[in-house]
C-alpha cells in the first residue's frame, strides 16, 4: 500500500527516488525497504540499485467516480467515440 500513492522517479545511476506523503508512509517504507530492495536486485540482476525516499507532496493522479453518470461523462469527454457509439446504438447506462 505504501507504493500506491507515491511519486517514483527512476534515475540513470540505477537509483529509485520515492516521494511519500507523510512520516507514517515513510516508516512503512522503511519497514519494507530492505526486502523490496533485495527483491529488485535479485529479479533485475543488478546490485547497483539504490532506493532513496523523502517526504513531500504527492499529487494524486486518479479521479474518483461515484456514479455511473460521472463515469460516462468522463469517458465521453476524453473519448468522443464513446458518445458516438452511445448515440448510434441507443445505449443507456441505467438498467
Amino acid at each position: 500500500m505504501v507504493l500506491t500513492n507515491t511519486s517514483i522517479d527512476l534515475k540513470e545511476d540505477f537509483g529509485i527516488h520515492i516521494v511519500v506523503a507523510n512520516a507514517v508512509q515513510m516508516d512503512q517504507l522503511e519497514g519494507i525497504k530492505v526486502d523490496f530492495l533485495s527483491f529488485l536486485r535479485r529479479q533485475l540482476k543488478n546490485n547497483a540499485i539504490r532506493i532513496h525516499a523523502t517526504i513531500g507532496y504527492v499529487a494524486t493522479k486518479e479521479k474518483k467516480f461515484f456514479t455511473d453518470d460521472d463515469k460516462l461523462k468522463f469517458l465521453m469527454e476524453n473519448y468522443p467515440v464513446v458518445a458516438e457509439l452511445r448515440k448510434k446504438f441507443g445505449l443507456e447506462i441505467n438498467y
Side-chain angles (χ1 to χ4, degrees):
M1 287 298 294
V2 173
L3 298 175
T4 58
N5 290 328
T6 59
S7 172
I8 300 175
D9 187 25
L10 303 176
K11 304 294 183 182
E12 289 184 18
D13 63 348
F14 303 110
I16 301 171
H17 183 245
I18 301 173
V19 180
V20 295
N22 54 47
V24 173
Q25 288 183 343
M26 180 65 86
D27 290 342
Q28 291 173 338
L29 180 61
E30 290 298 324
I32 66 166
K33 187 175 179 179
V34 173
D35 292 334
F36 181 53
L37 188 56
S38 175
F39 172 79
L40 288 175
R41 287 177 176 171
R42 187 174 53 253
Q43 292 296 318
L44 299 174
K45 296 179 175 87
N46 185 344
N47 287 330
I49 296 173
R50 303 282 180 254
I51 295 177
H52 176 70
T54 57
I55 298 174
Y57 175 74
V58 178
T60 57
K61 297 176 185 172
E62 70 180 54
K63 183 177 179 180
K64 305 259 186 217
F65 301 107
F66 296 102
T67 66
D68 292 336
D69 291 329
D70 292 339
K71 293 174 191 175
L72 180 62
K73 182 179 176 185
F74 173 80
L75 288 172
M76 288 193 310
E77 288 173 356
N78 292 302
Y79 305 99
V81 71
V82 172
E84 292 174 26
L85 290 172
R86 181 176 178 231
K87 184 177 177 182
K88 182 177 181 178
F89 294 110
L91 300 173
E92 294 297 324
I93 58 170
N94 298 326
Y95 299 108

